[in-house]
Amino acid sequence: MKTLGYACTSAHAPLAPFSFERRAPRANDIVMEILYCGVCHSDLHWARNDWGWTVFPAIPGHEIVGRVIEIGPDVAKYKIGDYVAVGCMVDSCQHCDQCRKDEEQLCREGNTGTYGGFDRFTKEHTLGGYSKHLVVREEFVLRMPDGLDLAKAAPLLCAGITTYSPLKTWKAGPGSRVGVIGLGGLGHMAVKLAAGMGAHVTVLSRSPDKAEDARALGAAALLVSTDDDAMAKAANGFDLIIDTVPVKHDLNPYMPLLDVDGTLVIVGQIGPVAELSTVPLILGRRRIAGSPIGGIRETQEMLDFCAEKNILPDCEMIRMDEINEAFERMEKSDVRYRFVIDMASLQVG
Ligand code: NAP
Ligand code: ZN
């Protein structure tokens, strides 16, 4: 089918309207009309080729909410008119040990990204959610729970699951002390979700002016990461720290904050970090880990958890043609806390 999106043709080009074809639905595919798409910092990394593997023309967008408008003959879970969502993956091998235990994000063959992947059958380059329509196999489609505000829910599909998954893996809950480095899209969801699980949450930020926001989001306090005295006083005070910083940074100041057996989980920057001292790791039996998004079962669990607890991202709605300005603002951390594109603003024809 013919559709319209916003694509960039090089790392230096702004995003601009782009007409393209979505594949005809296969037997187990749904076709969705995209209603809303969140703007993740990964979209910006992808558009600017920060990771060095962007395929152009590129259409970012992996926080997608929409409505089913067509289904293949074998689709069993969804019907036309259902409100559904798609996150960062659209396929995986479905038979390896990781896929069989609902951890498709860790598929041994590699999952197929919503953008920047390659369709497992046609080998075509996948194009993301800054567009009017999407064709996805039903196993990678999430059901929007009743009562969750569709216009605000889109960021749950990446920022939500990427922070929910490590909070579950490291068992955040009543009695646990959780730190969140960087109060942006992922960070503000980490705060809301950890607080919703009953943990004691502290934001670690460069920005003292976010202190009031941090408390409103559910944190007990904001610790300014450049305040050496405050950082020293917080030593040994955390069981789990989720690091959402999107650029190369120094982990050394954060390691002493972990208690014995505490873990710092990197979900932000992909690539080298500044030179790291192993002293606090060894002496305090502290750990550094990483975590990518989450599986489909866990993503549905997260959506249902958010519906039950009424947890929603703080969104600033934008039109599709405001995306370049939004990218510039996101680069300066000037968003509280997630841009969401209202796809009705993208008119075909
Ligand atoms: P974001 O909205 O831009 O937020 C990042 C936050 O990090 C900022 O609000 C800022 O918080 C802090 N920060 C920004 N620049 C910094 C710097 N130079 N030094 C220290 N702190 C800085 O980005 P996001 O959408 O949350 O994404 C964050 C990262 O996660 C990106 O790199 C993205 O690619 C990655 N990501 C990973 C996964 C995964 O599967 N693991 C999934 C989605 C996204 P303060 O002002 O509070 O310091
Ligand atoms: Zn993302």
Side-chain angles (χ1 to χ4, degrees), residues 103 105-106 161-179 194 197 199 238-243 258-267 285-294 298 301:
E103 302 256 44
Q105 78 280 21
L106 301 171
I161 185 59
T162 301
T163 50
Y164 182 88
S165 184
L167 289 168
K168 294 297 277 192
T169 300
W170 279 276
K171 302 189 172 29
S176 54
R177 300 158 298 170
V178 175
M197 292 171 190
F238 294 89
D239 305 301
L240 175 66
I241 297 178
I242 311 264
D243 178 354
L258 290 170
D259 206 346
V260 172
D261 286 329
T263 305
L264 180 141
V265 185
I266 300 171
V267 296
R285 205 164 65 191
R286 300 173 171 104
R287 305 184 187 98
I288 296 177
S291 184
I293 49 171
E298 194 173 49
E301 177 189 301

Side-chain angles (χ1 to χ4, degrees), residues 73-151:
D74 294 348
V75 169
K77 261 176 80 184
Y78 300 102
K79 60 180 192 316
I80 291 171
D82 285 351
Y83 289 109
V84 293
V86 173
C88 303
M89 317 178 268
V90 288
D91 205 355
S92 72
C93 83
Q94 301 279 288
H95 54 69
C96 74
D97 59 334
Q98 297 303 316
C99 286
R100 281 204 310 268
K101 57 182 196 186
D102 299 316
E103 302 256 44
E104 303 90 346
Q105 78 280 21
L106 301 171
C107 173
R108 300 283 179 189
E109 294 182 10
N111 70 67
T112 306
T114 303
Y115 57 80
F118 290 91
D119 184 272
R120 296 180 116 78
F121 296 92
T122 65
K123 310 297 175 208
E124 276 172 321
H125 176 220
T126 57
L127 297 169
Y130 294 3
S131 58
K132 275 305 230 194
H133 301 98
L134 189 65
V135 181
V136 187
R137 65 182 291 180
E138 70 167 328
E139 293 88 340
F140 285 77
V141 176
L142 289 309
R143 181 175 295 286
M144 290 308 292
D146 289 341
L148 206 56
D149 182 343
L150 293 178

Side-chain angles (χ1 to χ4, degrees), residues 40-42 45 51 158 162 182-186 205-207 210 244-247 267-269 291-293 330 333 338:
C40 178
H41 205 112
S42 299
H45 289 310
W51 300 319
C158 176
T162 301
L183 195 59
L186 266 59
S205 171
R206 307 162 301 170
S207 316
K210 290 181 180 172
T244 76
V245 175
V247 292
V267 296
Q269 183 223 351
S291 184
I293 49 171
M330 175 181 255
S333 302
R338 199 57 139 189

Side-chain angles (χ1 to χ4, degrees), residues 10-346:
S10 83
H12 308 291
L15 272 79
F18 179 76
S19 297
F20 66 108
E21 292 267 338
R22 287 286 185 197
R23 69 160 191 270
R26 297 190 278 258
N28 60 343
D29 281 339
I30 66 113
V31 182
M32 68 194 272
E33 180 197 0
I34 298 176
L35 301 175
Y36 302 101
C37 187
V39 179
C40 178
H41 205 112
S42 299
D43 299 351
L44 178 59
H45 289 310
W46 183 247
R48 302 267 162 90
N49 197 18
D50 287 346
W51 300 319
W53 63 75
T54 302
V55 183
F56 293 103
I59 298 186
H62 58 202
E63 295 182 337
I64 303 167
V65 168
R67 182 174 36 220
V68 177
I69 57 167
E70 197 182 326
I71 55 171
D74 294 348
V75 169
K77 261 176 80 184
Y78 300 102
K79 60 180 192 316
I80 291 171
D82 285 351
Y83 289 109
V84 293
V86 173
C88 303
M89 317 178 268
V90 288
D91 205 355
S92 72
C93 83
Q94 301 279 288
H95 54 69
C96 74
D97 59 334
Q98 297 303 316
C99 286
R100 281 204 310 268
K101 57 182 196 186
D102 299 316
E103 302 256 44
E104 303 90 346
Q105 78 280 21
L106 301 171
C107 173
R108 300 283 179 189
E109 294 182 10
N111 70 67
T112 306
T114 303
Y115 57 80
F118 290 91
D119 184 272
R120 296 180 116 78
F121 296 92
T122 65
K123 310 297 175 208
E124 276 172 321
H125 176 220
T126 57
L127 297 169
Y130 294 3
S131 58
K132 275 305 230 194
H133 301 98
L134 189 65
V135 181
V136 187
R137 65 182 291 180
E138 70 167 328
E139 293 88 340
F140 285 77
V141 176
L142 289 309
R143 181 175 295 286
M144 290 308 292
D146 289 341
L148 206 56
D149 182 343
L150 293 178
K152 289 188 174 172
L156 298 177
L157 277 301
C158 176
I161 185 59
T162 301
T163 50
Y164 182 88
S165 184
L167 289 168
K168 294 297 277 192
T169 300
W170 279 276
K171 302 189 172 29
S176 54
R177 300 158 298 170
V178 175
V180 176
I181 309 177
L183 195 59
L186 266 59
H188 96 292
M189 282 317 307
V191 172
K192 289 191 182 210
L193 291 166
M197 292 171 190
H200 182 273
V201 190
T202 304
V203 172
L204 305 162
S205 171
R206 307 162 301 170
S207 316
D209 61 317
K210 290 181 180 172
E212 219 168 281
D213 283 6
R215 276 189 287 272
L217 293 164
L222 180 142
L223 182 55
V224 180
S225 48
T226 49
D227 180 341
D228 294 340
D229 285 347
M231 290 288 274
K233 283 196 191 110
N236 304 307
F238 294 89
D239 305 301
L240 175 66
I241 297 178
I242 311 264
D243 178 354
T244 76
V245 175
V247 292
K248 183 172 179 180
H249 59 293
D250 187 0
L251 298 180
N252 290 298
Y254 301 108
M255 300 319 300
L257 301 185
L258 290 170
D259 206 346
V260 172
D261 286 329
T263 305
L264 180 141
V265 185
I266 300 171
V267 296
Q269 183 223 351
I270 293 180
V273 292
E275 194 174 1
L276 182 73
S277 169
T278 63
V279 173
L281 290 179
I282 292 172
L283 299 189
R285 205 164 65 191
R286 300 173 171 104
R287 305 184 187 98
I288 296 177
S291 184
I293 49 171
I296 295 297
R297 186 197 50 73
E298 194 173 49
T299 306
Q300 188 66 58
E301 177 189 301
M302 177 273 310
L303 288 174
D304 296 343
F305 176 79
C306 289
E308 183 200 318
K309 300 260 177 185
N310 198 23
I311 293 175
L312 280 169
D314 289 12
C315 301
E316 180 176 337
M317 300 301 292
I318 60 166
R319 295 192 315 269
M320 187 69 257
D321 62 8
E322 293 174 316
I323 186 64
N324 293 302
E325 192 193 325
F327 271 3
E328 277 168 32
R329 284 184 50 197
M330 175 181 255
E331 207 155 30
K332 292 184 279 188
S333 302
D334 175 22
V335 47
R336 298 195 176 188
Y337 279 92
R338 199 57 139 189
F339 292 115
V340 173
I341 304 160
D342 181 352
M343 216 45 80
S345 65
L346 177 62

